[in-house]
Amino acid sequence: MHRRDVLRLAGLSMALPTVSIAAPPVASPQPTAPHPTRSLVLLELKGGNDGLNTLIPYADPQYARLRPTLAIAPARVIDLNDRLGLHPALRPVMPAWDAGELAWIQGVGYPRPNRSHFRSIDIWETGSDSDEVLEQGWLARALPIRAPGDLPDVVVLGGDDGPARGGDLRIITLASAERFVDDARRLQPLDATPAHLTPALDHLLTVRAATQAAGAEFRRSIERLDTTPTPFPKSPIGRQLQEAARMLQAGMAIPVVKVQIGSFDTHANQLKRQERLLAQLADALAAFRQTLRHTGHWDRVLVMSYSEFGRRPDENASGGTDHGTAAPHLVLGGRVKGGLYGEMPDLNALEKSVLRNTVDYRQLYDTVAARWWDNLPASTGMTSRDKTWL
């Protein structure tokens, strides 16, 4: 039962942050591990970002043939090597590339891809096969169980809690740490005696206690926070990453922070829309990196992008691209071994007019579980492989 349902049943109306105290996991529990000191920032590119105009195969003649009006001119591409380059709007992340802290994983997708927004994002967030439906998000299986504490396992700053749903993770959705502290402080005590303690009321009391404890810990952390010297862009993703940086600066050991930017669903007028979104993302990531490098927290942070799919390799008649399949994704952080990984899908060997994936998206999750959190790859239900970007 969700907290809001309990409040509705109890006849209460109060402004609370969204807090999820989930039911016990349906899969085997993860091994108990020490409180993680490393944080994963999950970056959702909502709507399906066009990978071919993000990591651009500008030297391939087929790229320009498939996109007579959408292809980025080679002179504008930021060269990474003699075949591939970045969209010019991504220039602010080039210092991270030059420092060896940014990796691009090419051709990420899954077999028998689904091109529905709703079904494909469910596949990505649960770590399932295309013909399999899982109730748990992949984080519920991959993240080591921590000892009880006042801080959440997952803080959602953008989008929903899809990758963490269905397990026993402690999840908080909020707009800012200060607002969460204020909301938690305003909670009024409830008069509940054991004789009147129904399961619903017991759940409500558990949620309230967790909210108050987390609010108190957030308040203590904020009081220790120094003002950041780095200005962040005023875009939605800029505000989300600024809030994430402030929590990490304050010393909060939060294993996962989720942010979101979009929509990248560029069926029309793609050139301007994608350029604007990529510029907002690059500016925000650059400020995020600069801030955490300045405060000495950069080595304990990993940023990883995901999206429900890429776009088709050919443009449509509306100056855009339709739902596709494989796309590149970025990983960024002080411990990342920067570079290009995987293979760019062959534009001359399309599968039903869309790109063939060359890397299974679950390899990224497996790497995070095994190498970032030192958890066993089996906890994700995926196969361990040798990966070198982390």
Side-chain angles (χ1 to χ4, degrees), residues 299-332:
D299 280 354
R300 71 178 188 92
V301 176
L302 174 68
V303 181
M304 182 173 74
S305 69
Y306 77 99
S307 188
E308 57 262 51
F309 40 61
R311 316 297 294 184
R312 288 176 60 96
D314 56 319
E315 64 182 64
N316 61 29
S318 300
T321 51
D322 298 322
H323 299 178
T325 51
H329 284 282
L330 66 86
V331 286
L332 172 68

Side-chain angles (χ1 to χ4, degrees), residues 27-104:
S28 299
Q30 311 95 312
T32 300
H35 194 157
T37 58
R38 294 180 177 180
S39 295
L40 170 68
V41 177
L42 266 183
L43 168 63
E44 182 184 359
L45 308 178
K46 182 177 176 60
N49 178 47
D50 177 34
L52 284 180
N53 274 18
T54 301
L55 182 62
I56 304 169
Y58 68 93
D60 187 340
Q62 186 69 353
Y63 168 67
R65 282 196 289 268
L66 289 166
R67 300 184 167 203
T69 65
L70 290 186
I72 306 297
R76 297 186 62 218
V77 173
I78 305 171
D79 288 348
L80 300 183
N81 57 29
D82 59 359
R83 300 176 297 106
L84 297 170
L86 292 183
H87 191 290
L90 293 172
R91 189 169 297 279
V93 302
M94 283 304 294
W97 172 265
D98 294 336
E101 298 173 354
L102 171 62
W104 289 95

